Amino acid sequence: MAQILDGKALAKQIQAGHVSQIQTWQAAVGRPPGLAVLMVGDNPASAAYVRNKERACERMGIASLGKHLPTATTQAAVAEEILALNQNPNVDGILVQLPLPKHLNATSLLALIDPDKDADGLHPVNLGRLGRGEPGLRSCTPAGIMRLLAEYDIPLAGKTAVVLGRSILVGKPIGLMLLAADVTPTFAHSKTKNLAELTRSADILIAAVGVPRLVGKEMVKPGSTVIDVGINRVEGAEGGRAKLVGDIDFAAVEPIAGEITPVPGGIGPMTVTMLLENTIASYRNRMLAETTP
Ligand SMILES: NC(=O)c1ccc[n+]([C@@H]2O[C@H](COP(=O)([O-])OP(=O)(O)OC[C@H]3O[C@@H](n4cnc5c(N)ncnc54)[C@H](OP(=O)(O)O)[C@@H]3O)[C@@H](O)[C@H]2O)c1
């Protein structure tokens, strides 16, 4: 049976590890790190994610300075809120909760965030820094995957990886991060031919697709490391109740993989933790900039 890579427990441990340092900084600086989550509209899944992030902030001593705007808010009004948060000295991290209502252009709104407050690491400047191998705020889900692999001492250099999915949110940045760690990554997507043959060759398989249980045992190399990013809500799965499942068929793959992440409790909690670490990193950088003559 595969070793379970327990993102939930690890995330808890990492978050707890920051608490006393944050208290010390707060006493010295006079304010805690601040994260502003901007939510527009009433998407119930988004509301649950935002609550999750706010609770994690509270546990760590990070101030939640978010705003919840009505669905009908105009592009100009959301832009104005973002620009105000850029200027707010108590805000170190800004996150615009996606998806936004259909009338809003997410790409142009995300580009307005100050790149040095871009807690989600999705600003073009930060994606450019990642591509160039320069320091910067990294996108949270791929950063969470890399941290999980590092904390479990999974050797990476010289290995092959197949990344299923090529989104800006997960697929592309995780490929770049693996490359920077001396892995040889291959991207696969909906047009990839002979998918199973390709994925079976991978020492590390990352699934970020959004198709419930797409990856069965015949697609996985025995002994490989399998990372499941997918979060899919399957209605009426168990006694009529909805259930969250990943892109990996966990029951089928666990017996043959070397390591595997569960859904829920794998990459999700690590993503939130990286968001908080980005906020802390931005707070530290801004404090240093203020105290350095
Ligand atoms: N755990 C977390 O914290 C976290 C964070 C972010 C996302 N997620 C989850 O991760 C999943 C992916 O998210 P995303 O934002 O990256 O999704 P996305 O933007 O919809 O991208 C999905 C990717 O999967 C590819 N794909 C779709 N069907 C495929 C198939 N049958 N075979 C191979 N590739 C296929 C698509 O290919 P094309 O490019 O050819 O269309 C696309 O590149 C979702 O379930 C999402 O909820 C989880």
Side-chain angles (χ1 to χ4, degrees):
M1 289 298 241
Q3 179 187 16
I4 307 291
L5 304 178
D6 186 344
K8 188 174 175 189
L10 179 58
K12 223 171 164 184
Q13 186 190 319
I14 295 172
Q15 290 177 21
H18 287 295
V19 171
S20 78
Q21 177 67 80
I22 289 175
Q23 284 167 350
T24 309
W25 280 330
Q26 176 166 2
V29 179
R31 69 169 186 91
L35 173 65
V37 178
L38 195 60
M39 179 169 160
V40 188
D42 292 309
N43 180 327
S46 295
Y49 287 137
V50 171
R51 264 198 310 279
N52 229 345
K53 287 163 189 166
E54 287 174 349
R55 275 196 214 118
C57 280
E58 204 175 312
R59 281 198 300 274
M60 283 172 75
I62 294 175
S64 288
L65 305 165
K67 279 223 163 158
H68 187 177
L69 305 173
T71 308
T73 312
T74 62
Q75 178 89 7
V78 181
E80 210 170 293
E81 290 289 349
I82 294 172
L83 296 176
L85 292 171
N86 284 346
Q87 297 303 321
N88 185 334
N90 295 325
V91 171
D92 303 289
I94 302 169
L95 172 134
V96 175
Q97 185 66 43
L98 301 175
L100 288 171
K102 288 214 170 5
H103 67 282
L104 297 173
N105 180 334
T107 307
S108 61
L109 288 171
L110 292 179
L112 292 176
I113 297 173
D114 176 348
D116 294 325
K117 289 189 176 187
D118 170 35
D120 232 358
L122 294 177
H123 190 283
V125 166
N126 285 320
L127 291 171
R129 287 168 172 162
L130 169 64
R132 291 171 62 97
E134 293 171 2
L137 298 172
R138 297 291 191 241
S139 34
C140 300
T141 301
I145 296 171
M146 296 305 287
R147 185 66 172 277
L148 188 78
L149 293 171
E151 296 282 348
Y152 274 93
D153 286 326
I154 311 264
L156 299 179
K159 290 203 172 165
T160 59
V162 168
V163 178
L164 275 177
R166 53 177 165 178
S167 70
I168 282 288
L169 190 60
V170 191
K172 281 177 187 152
I174 188 61
L176 288 172
M177 288 183 197
L178 289 167
L179 191 61
D182 296 328
V183 173
T184 304
T186 305
F187 293 97
H189 45 78
S190 65
K191 312 287 186 301
T192 301
K193 301 261 192 287
N194 303 325
L195 192 61
E197 196 180 308
L198 181 67
T199 55
R200 255 199 325 268
S201 71
D203 300 324
I204 302 165
L205 179 60
I206 315 259
V209 178
V211 176
R213 304 189 186 103
L214 172 75
V215 177
K217 143 171 153 222
E218 72 293 347
M219 294 176 73
V220 174
K221 178 178 178 173
S224 62
T225 303
V226 179
I227 304 292
D228 194 351
V229 181
I231 302 179
N232 309 292
R233 208 180 151 83
V234 177
E235 299 296 336
E238 276 174 359
R241 293 217 320 272
K243 188 184 178 202
L244 288 186
V245 303
D247 294 340
I248 308 282
D249 184 345
F250 187 88
V253 171
E254 188 200 9
I256 65 154
E259 297 87 20
I260 189 167
T261 60
V263 176
I267 299 306
M270 292 303 294
T271 298
V272 176
T273 304
M274 295 302 105
L275 171 75
L276 302 171
E277 285 206 339
N278 275 347
T279 304
I280 295 169
S282 159
Y283 171 76
R284 280 195 58 196
N285 290 341
R286 299 175 69 242
M287 275 192 317
L288 283 174
E290 278 164 26
T291 52
T292 308

